[in-house]
Amino acid sequence: MTTTDPTVPATAAPSTPALDAEVRAALDAAVSQLAEGESRWAKMPIPARIALLGKVHSSVAAAADQWVDAAVRTKNLDPDSAYVGEEWISGPYIVLSSLLALQHTLGAIAQGKSPIADAKLGTAPGGRVSVPVLPANPYEALLLHGFSAEVWMKPGDSEKAVRASAGLGARTPTETDGVGLVLGAGNITSIPPLDVLYELIAHNRVALLKLNPVMDRMLAPYSAAFKPLIDLGLLRIVTGAGDVGSYLANHPGISHVHITGSAATHDVIVWGTGPGAATRRAAGTPLLAKPITSELGGVAPIIVLPGAWSKADLRYQAEHVVTQRLHNGGYNCIAGQIVVLSSQWPQRKAFLAELRSALARTPDRAPWYPGSDVRVGQACTSYPGAEKFGASGGRLLVDIHAEDDASTLLTTEYFSPVLGVIELPGTGQAFLDTAVDTVNRDFVGTLGANIIGMPSTIKGLGAGFENALSRLDYGTIAVNTWTALGFLTPGAPWGAFPGHSLEHVQSGIGVVHNALLLAETEKTIARGPFRPFPRSALHGEFALFPKPPWFVTARSAKKTGRLLSGFAAAPSWFKMPAIFISAFRA
């Protein structure tokens, strides 16, 4: 969920002027300390690693208030705003949940078992094995009642092979892989620590985390939260501009680079800048002489299946779509950017009216990510008919008509509050198939795709719907929920659809999160209820979940997010009632 400003590389080219000698010496020392930490990590058996993750879990819980306070100041939020709930849920909550999941995985490995030895694996179209990842325990079954997620493995893998390969580097703890450089995201505060944990557990690499300058305020809370790793020399955290990132990426003591950011930044690191960059790319000779993995965002579609929706359905799903665009102010790599509607849907105009209403009534927040106003201005230039919403007019709705050229909208990750709408012909299966073909072919990026449709509509499509999911080339696909649910699910791999190359990187290479340490995954399918409780029950959906606390219109999000983080810090059934009471006040 993440990315840096696509127009401003966070890591400069190797031609950047040399760093000050004192800065270089400090960075060299950090790399040397991590090399010593690698030896320490190689000697640490799995039970000791589990205990260490337990200490980190405690220190993250203790630093949670400091963490969220720093995030609130970074994003210029009113401390009393409901938007503070986003910082709890996408910050300490997911990190605490992931630490618990990783301890569980390592516990299975310590017993000589596969992390999914006890999982009931399923099947998916095309000969795929599916692995359930949500709910992962009885707590999640109640907290996220009505939501589910499963990982689809690559076609042809057998259940036996999937179980046997789970565990990745944790199965061979003495075989470490050097010092990894993590170039941290500048938007969601859980991303850098989660990337560090994946380096450490999945790949046996100690980590040097270089913060995006936007996140410099997070240095203190991160240092407190991850003190157990820092004390053992398994983690170092540094700040600085692009020259620091460039120096470290090309440092001989760094064995691997992982970046969460934009494709433009990735390409500067890999190919350099100037005329030589194109030559190197064409020849397949990268300037970066070490492996690099990445999560780079993209243009995420929201495919809306036509059906006979009630007025309440139209209003709720309009808020759902607006949430996918405006969460975190619009600065998310998986922010839904383009709504794909059927031109033959009788309720198209009614839905767009609700969409405009939701854009207008969602509480305002000041733009906080660098370059946002510039990118909104670029969208206005490309689409002068764009409708403006919010007190400052900074939210755009670009309704593309037949005579308009949609190509810029489909190929530009705006990373700002710009929401587009396109129309495609057809109804039923014909519309869905056309939508899948269109987003696969024309949209930039393969990180996440969303589908919204009535349960009766999806049921009516039958196998055709599941086959459409199998044809969607995205790393996470959300059905009646947002792909952010996949991001928040510790056991779900997070990253682009597999198969990209350095030359055509799209949304990136490799995955993170993936607390079950599954090997060779293809995509995650997350599903949720079409309606919130109690309307869900009235219409035959078995889902007790109210309006989700991540909705931008959820009035009780701040309290719910804090309660969820407190629960993840020390899970207990006794904490459930307060969470539900707060959630139902959304």
Side-chain angles (χ1 to χ4, degrees):
M1 211 176 187
T2 124
T3 223
T4 56
D5 179 347
T7 65
V8 182
T11 302
S15 58
T16 300
L19 285 171
D20 176 82
E22 186 176 346
V23 174
R24 289 201 312 273
L27 296 175
D28 292 344
V31 174
S32 295
Q33 291 160 4
L34 287 167
E36 295 173 8
E38 181 193 2
S39 299
R40 200 171 293 117
W41 185 240
K43 297 173 184 176
M44 187 177 292
I46 295 296
R49 294 184 180 195
I50 295 171
L52 176 60
L53 290 182
K55 291 180 181 178
V56 175
H57 183 268
S58 297
S59 59
V60 169
D65 283 295
Q66 181 187 4
W67 180 320
V68 172
D69 178 66
V72 166
R73 287 184 289 117
T74 294
K75 299 179 182 183
N76 297 320
L77 285 173
D78 179 343
D80 296 322
S81 166
Y83 286 134
V84 174
E86 296 179 356
E87 301 312 314
W88 281 105
I89 294 172
S90 66
Y93 169 73
I94 177 57
V95 173
L96 290 165
S97 298
S98 295
L99 284 163
L100 292 175
L102 286 169
Q103 290 176 74
H104 185 270
T105 290
L106 292 185
I109 293 172
Q111 297 173 28
K113 297 168 54 178
S114 166
I116 54 171
D118 301 324
K120 185 178 180 180
L121 306 188
T123 59
R128 294 170 172 87
V129 172
S130 63
V131 181
V133 291
L134 180 72
N137 53 58
Y139 290 131
E140 285 186 350
L142 184 57
L143 275 176
L144 291 165
H145 194 272
F147 291 86
S148 65
E150 59 185 14
V151 178
W152 288 9
M153 308 302 289
K154 291 180 179 178
D157 285 351
S158 67
E159 284 194 16
K160 182 179 179 180
V162 169
R163 291 188 199 274
S165 62
L168 300 177
R171 293 183 298 148
T172 54
T174 61
E175 299 175 13
T176 54
D177 194 25
V179 179
L181 171 65
V182 174
L183 297 171
N187 61 335
I188 295 292
T189 61
S190 62
I191 293 174
L194 289 175
D195 291 349
V196 164
L197 289 171
Y198 199 66
E199 286 287 286
L200 194 62
I201 304 300
H203 299 302
N204 279 329
R205 279 192 290 266
V206 297
L208 178 53
L209 170 60
K210 188 266 178 189
L211 298 184
N212 185 298
V214 177
M215 288 288 164
D216 279 354
R217 277 197 179 97
M218 296 305 299
L219 177 61
Y222 284 164
S223 298
F226 298 96
K227 187 175 184 297
L229 299 182
I230 295 170
D231 287 347
L232 288 172
L234 308 179
L235 171 65
R236 288 290 180 268
I237 307 174
V238 300
T239 60
D243 51 358
V244 171
S246 177
Y247 180 77
L248 290 171
N250 293 280
H251 195 289
I254 296 292
S255 62
H256 179 275
V257 178
H258 178 77
I259 176 176
T260 297
S262 70
T265 304
H266 169 274
D267 288 349
V268 167
I269 296 169
V270 173
W271 308 109
T273 57
T279 303
R280 286 186 287 270
R281 186 198 291 263
T285 54
L287 197 61
L288 186 70
K290 61 195 67 175
I292 181 170
T293 53
S294 50
E295 192 267 80
L296 307 174
V299 174
I302 307 169
I303 300 170
V304 178
L305 304 179
W309 295 13
S310 69
K311 184 172 179 58
D313 294 337
L314 292 167
R315 181 182 176 91
Y316 176 78
Q317 291 300 344
E319 290 186 9
H320 188 186
V321 168
V322 166
T323 290
Q324 295 183 33
R325 178 66 268 180
L326 297 184
H327 181 278
N328 198 36
Y331 314 115
N332 287 332
C333 61
I334 49 159
Q337 180 164 307
I338 301 179
V339 184
V340 183
L341 298 178
S342 165
S343 59
Q344 295 169 248
W345 185 25
Q347 292 180 292
R348 177 193 179 281
K349 289 184 178 180
F351 180 69
L352 285 177
E354 288 292 353
L355 203 58
R356 291 182 173 95
S357 176
L359 283 167
R361 70 174 180 272
T362 297
D364 278 316
R365 63 184 296 175
W368 65 270
Y369 200 86
S372 178
D373 291 343
V374 172
R375 295 189 296 280
V376 170
Q378 290 170 342
C380 288
T381 299
S382 298
Y383 299 100
E387 302 170 57
K388 298 181 179 180
F389 296 87
S392 63
R395 301 171 183 167
L396 299 188
L397 179 65
V398 182
D399 188 2
I400 297 292
H401 299 284
E403 66 275 13
D404 298 324
D405 179 5
S407 59
T408 301
L409 189 67
L410 307 186
T411 58
T412 304
E413 182 190 5
Y414 280 107
F415 207 66
S416 58
V418 177
L419 180 65
V421 179
I422 66 169
E423 291 182 359
L424 297 174
T427 59
Q429 191 69 51
F431 168 74
L432 178 56
D433 288 343
T434 299
V436 168
D437 291 341
T438 300
V439 301
N440 279 346
R441 182 188 64 238
D442 298 337
F443 285 39
V444 162
T446 64
L447 185 62
N450 310 273
I451 302 176
I452 296 173
M454 294 178 66
S456 58
T457 300
I458 293 172
K459 183 179 180 180
L461 294 174
F465 182 79
E466 297 299 311
N467 288 331
L469 296 183
S470 74
R471 292 197 305 110
L472 263 175
D473 294 340
Y474 286 83
T476 299
I477 301 168
V479 180
N480 286 334
T481 183
W482 179 24
T483 47
L485 181 68
F487 179 91
L488 291 172
T489 299
W494 182 253
F497 189 79
H500 299 315
S501 65
L502 291 179
E503 292 81 3
H504 304 284
V505 74
Q506 290 272 348
S507 289
I509 297 170
V511 300
V512 289
H513 302 192
N514 189 25
L516 291 175
L517 305 181
L518 302 173
E520 299 298 316
T521 62
E522 184 184 68
K523 64 180 74 172
T524 297
I525 309 294
R527 305 176 199 253
F530 179 72
R531 303 174 179 92
F533 185 83
R535 285 199 306 114
S536 56
L538 295 174
H539 289 84
E541 287 185 271
F542 186 55
L544 303 179
F545 205 82
K547 176 189 286 188
W550 55 81
F551 266 40
V552 291
T553 51
R555 292 171 294 182
S556 59
K558 177 185 175 182
K559 183 175 182 179
T560 305
R562 186 180 190 121
L563 289 170
L564 283 169
S565 296
F567 174 85
S572 167
W573 292 109
F574 294 105
K575 295 181 179 180
M576 293 285 191
I579 294 172
F580 278 103
I581 290 171
S582 178
F584 274 95
R585 289 173 175 163

